[in-house]
Amino acid sequence: MFHLLVKFNGWEYSRDSLNNQRIFEYTDEVLTTQFKPNGNLDINQISQIPAIFASETGGSGEQIIKFGHIYRIIPNPDKPEPKR
């Protein structure tokens, strides 16, 4: 099992952020419930699974992915969705 995190503008080298609205988007409810019991992210459980970080290309351009782990989660519900 692995996390698949997709971001429109690509990913920074060693740390980055993801809009809260994208968390568990297009994820089966069983997995959402497992990693977000009672509506709260289980940070310990999430950090145990490797992650694939991909950038959206819209069907054009080179598809670049990175492999890593999620080590720290800082909720920031006030951060707005970036303009596309």
Side-chain angles (χ1 to χ4, degrees), residues 54-65:
S55 53
E56 294 178 284
T57 64
S60 63
E62 186 177 27
Q63 181 71 49
I64 297 175
I65 62 171

Side-chain angles (χ1 to χ4, degrees), residues 15-50:
R15 68 172 66 178
D16 209 335
S17 62
L18 181 66
N19 188 285
N20 291 346
Q21 296 171 348
R22 301 289 311 257
I23 298 173
F24 296 112
E25 184 177 42
Y26 305 111
T27 301
D28 188 273
E29 178 124 7
V30 172
L31 292 173
T32 301
T33 302
Q34 177 182 346
F35 292 102
K36 198 175 178 183
N38 301 316
N40 298 310
L41 286 175
D42 185 336
I43 296 169
N44 185 48
Q45 208 177 167
I46 287 173
S47 66
Q48 300 300 314
I49 299 172

Side-chain angles (χ1 to χ4, degrees), residues 4-11 22 52-67:
L4 174 60
L5 295 103
V6 181
K7 188 173 177 187
F8 180 73
N9 295 324
W11 296 92
R22 301 289 311 257
I52 297 173
F53 301 90
S55 53
E56 294 178 284
T57 64
S60 63
E62 186 177 27
Q63 181 71 49
I64 297 175
I65 62 171
K66 298 177 182 184
F67 298 94

